[in-house]
Amino acid sequence: MSPLYQSLQGGNDDTQDNGSYYESYCCSQCSDAHHGTGRLRGGGSSSSADNSQGRVYYLNKKAEEQESWVKLGQQFEKETGIPVQIQVAANYDETLRSEMAKKEAPTMFQADGPSFMNQWKAYAADMSQSDLYKNLSDDYKNRVLNNDDGKPIAIPYAVESYGIIYNKALLNKYFESSWSSVKSIDELNNFKALKAAADEIQEHKDEMGVKGAFSSPGMDGSSSFRFFFHLPTVPLFYEYKQDGVDMNTVPASVKGTYVKNMKNIWDLYITDTTVEPSTISGKTMDDSTAEFATGQAVFFQDGVWIYNQLKGQSVADEDLGVLPIYIGVKGEEKQGLNQVISNYWVVNSKASQADQQATQKFLSWLITNDKARKTISQDMGLVTPFTTFDDPVYQVNNPLVNANREYQDKGFEGVVNVPNPSHQWEQDLGGALLNYTQGNGGWDAVTKVFTDNWAKEYKLSYAQ
């Protein structure tokens, strides 16, 4: 049995749009007609695969986890004989719409929040009797996404954290410098201190041996999600908290109370950095990651998921730390890292009963099988909310995860990653940020998108 991979760029068929790509893996028999591409390079099959038991087709959103998913699919098929197909989509929404229209559609897919599920409720099976839901930690049963009848239809499978990753060795070099005004990590607990440190590092970058305080805030499609999805959560969290808004809901409108504070940190990102602001539209996630991983920058906004790309590089594990994303809000000295649940598993209710049962069996296997749990926790590095992962052997070995635990142990308040009305709102915000950076628009335009476009997208996403 050999896995089948494919990488597609461009094209005119019904599997992709606008240069999106996906890789495919089939453990069992597959055909060009099934994928609709006509461009498969080779194939894979297993004599043990038995379609009469149903099938599993998972449309995965996380490219960095694809290799591990391939291995899990192979192992499950070997043990059960149930055929498994796994694809990863870069342009997920378009690919999902395309794939779900096919006869052999995905039997399970990923959701990233309430607005996404609002569009896919008709395709989401009731998970209340599933092993997945039954083994969900009590602390996270209130974080599932429900249908109109209050039944859980999307189960969170990963709890991630993010903030401003930093290089401890370089930061200590800064602390020990005669010209530094911030002298310890304990003092670096608010935006004022962060700005002072970043400004001074930028001013003395040659002495520090770096190209800039922050790695490039790339606005290429591979990197921009950090700033139109991750970054706005901080001002939204403080607004929701101040106004008493349920953090699991999408309100019809927002005030943008703390958008001016978001400007604080964005201005820091685009001035105290490794590149000229005019170039960030073409800077990629790989660029930003490499700059930090090779010691060219002290700070790097990202999350626990990036550890696999950092380990084994110039920055040793013991030199990896994470700061909260400070924006200059009162009380942020006790702020923890951002806590994000944007990965949910959903079973396709339109799939045949045999396929749904096979998929539920696969999901149950993922959270109970010893090899699967080790792969998920150690190879993928996912912190999962299932009680079946409570044993220390299934705890993630990741210094960025450990940094998050340290904030939690201190009792610092994590920033809940609140949902927004649509991906279009995110894209519009990213465009406004880029225009501001390149001098083609003021910050008022960013604020206008933040508030006005929110209301517009809410009406489009939630119109009955």
Side-chain angles (χ1 to χ4, degrees):
M1 177 174 64
S2 61
L4 167 69
Y5 296 92
Q6 68 177 19
S7 295
L8 304 175
Q9 299 290 345
N12 301 314
D13 53 59
D14 63 354
T15 62
Q16 58 185 81
D17 297 284
N18 302 323
S20 65
Y21 77 93
Y22 55 77
E23 295 175 351
S24 176
Y25 152 64
C26 292
C27 296
S28 58
Q29 294 181 355
C30 66
S31 66
D32 290 1
H34 171 78
H35 292 278
T37 67
R39 287 184 291 176
L40 295 183
R41 298 193 298 248
S45 64
S46 169
S47 59
S48 64
D50 180 7
N51 282 293
S52 67
Q53 298 187 73
R55 66 188 176 92
V56 177
Y57 172 10
Y58 178 32
L59 189 63
N60 170 35
K61 193 174 185 178
K62 295 282 195 176
E64 67 271 20
E65 297 165 3
Q66 180 69 357
E67 183 178 350
S68 295
W69 278 114
V70 167
K71 293 176 182 177
L72 288 175
Q74 289 175 328
Q75 184 65 30
F76 178 75
E77 184 175 297
K78 181 179 179 181
E79 292 182 15
T80 65
I82 295 172
V84 177
Q85 176 191 353
I86 296 170
Q87 287 187 168
V88 59
N91 203 333
Y92 196 79
D93 289 12
E94 284 88 347
T95 305
L96 180 61
R97 281 193 293 270
S98 174
E99 292 296 293
M100 291 295 270
K102 295 179 180 179
K103 182 178 179 181
E104 293 191 334
T107 64
M108 61 181 281
F109 57 95
Q110 282 181 245
D112 61 11
S115 60
F116 178 95
M117 279 312 302
N118 188 63
Q119 303 171 51
W120 289 97
K121 283 187 291 188
Y123 291 82
D126 177 0
M127 299 287 281
S128 57
Q129 299 304 312
S130 67
D131 288 342
L132 208 61
Y133 181 71
K134 291 176 181 177
N135 284 288
L136 191 63
S137 168
D138 289 341
D139 292 339
Y140 291 95
K141 285 192 173 177
N142 66 344
R143 299 299 301 275
V144 301
L145 303 181
N146 298 319
N147 61 17
D148 294 338
D149 296 324
K151 300 293 186 181
I153 55 174
I155 309 298
Y157 70 86
V159 182
E160 299 174 308
S161 60
Y162 64 90
I164 298 174
I165 302 171
Y166 65 90
N167 183 323
K168 292 181 181 179
L170 286 175
L171 203 51
N172 285 332
K173 183 177 181 180
Y174 160 76
F175 292 146
E176 294 167 1
S177 298
S178 60
W179 40 264
S180 64
S181 59
V182 182
K183 292 297 184 182
S184 72
I185 194 64
D186 291 335
E187 295 178 27
L188 199 57
N189 64 356
N190 58 70
F191 176 76
K192 183 179 179 180
L194 178 61
K195 184 179 188 311
D199 286 349
E200 290 167 352
I201 290 170
Q202 192 74 18
E203 182 182 354
H204 296 270
K205 61 183 180 181
D206 291 340
E207 183 178 338
M208 287 286 296
V210 299
K211 290 185 176 180
F214 288 90
S215 65
S216 54
M219 292 299 281
D220 165 87
S222 64
S223 172
S224 55
F225 70 92
R226 296 184 292 155
F227 310 113
F228 63 56
F229 175 51
H230 289 163
L231 184 57
T233 283
V234 185
L236 285 168
F237 168 77
Y238 280 107
E239 179 177 329
Y240 284 22
K241 183 179 178 182
Q242 178 176 300
D243 295 345
V245 177
D246 184 344
M247 300 283 182
N248 289 320
T249 64
V250 179
S253 63
V254 293
K255 299 174 183 175
T257 309
Y258 294 95
V259 179
K260 61 182 181 296
N261 297 87
M262 189 173 81
K263 181 178 184 296
N264 289 338
I265 190 67
W266 181 250
D267 283 347
L268 205 58
Y269 286 169
I270 63 176
T271 54
D272 293 350
T273 185
T274 55
V275 298
E276 290 298 320
S278 59
T279 69
I280 69 170
S281 63
K283 290 298 178 180
T284 68
M285 192 70 221
D286 286 345
D287 292 332
S288 191
T289 305
E291 289 162 8
F292 179 82
T294 56
Q296 298 175 53
V298 180
F299 302 111
F300 170 47
Q301 185 194 300
D302 213 72
V304 296
W305 52 83
I306 202 66
Y307 173 61
N308 284 339
Q309 281 69 57
L310 298 179
K311 66 181 180 182
Q313 302 294 322
S314 299
V315 187
D317 279 10
E318 58 267 26
D319 285 331
L320 289 172
V322 192
L323 291 170
I325 299 176
Y326 297 123
I327 62 174
V329 175
K330 183 179 180 181
E332 65 184 358
E333 290 80 5
K334 296 296 183 181
Q335 177 184 319
L337 304 185
N338 280 62
Q339 307 300 314
V340 56
I341 296 178
S342 62
N343 295 291
Y344 301 78
W345 280 324
V346 185
V347 173
N348 182 5
S349 62
K350 305 294 186 183
S352 70
Q353 284 301 310
D355 289 353
Q356 288 188 54
Q357 290 172 8
T359 302
Q360 292 286 6
K361 186 172 183 178
F362 179 57
L363 289 169
S364 179
W365 179 86
L366 288 174
I367 65 167
T368 56
N369 177 271
D370 181 62
K371 183 175 181 179
R373 285 181 288 177
K374 286 180 179 177
T375 297
I376 289 171
S377 60
Q378 305 306 318
D379 296 344
M380 296 187 192
L382 299 181
V383 178
T384 65
F386 302 106
T387 58
T388 52
F389 285 76
D390 287 346
D391 191 297
V393 73
Y394 306 122
Q395 297 299 303
V396 175
N397 181 22
N398 180 332
L400 306 179
V401 171
N402 295 338
N404 182 56
R405 292 195 187 110
E406 290 175 9
Y407 282 104
Q408 292 175 328
D409 290 345
K410 291 178 182 177
F412 286 14
E413 184 178 22
V415 173
V416 176
N417 215 71
V418 299
N420 63 59
S422 72
H423 293 317
Q424 186 59 51
W425 179 83
E426 297 169 0
Q427 295 289 338
D428 292 345
L429 186 63
L433 283 171
L434 183 57
N435 285 337
Y436 166 76
T437 302
Q438 296 182 331
N440 298 321
W443 192 257
D444 286 346
V446 176
T447 303
K448 185 176 176 63
V449 167
F450 202 98
T451 55
D452 293 3
N453 288 38
W454 181 290
K456 180 181 72 175
E457 288 300 317
Y458 179 89
K459 289 178 180 178
L460 291 172
S461 296
Y462 290 88
Q464 298 300 319

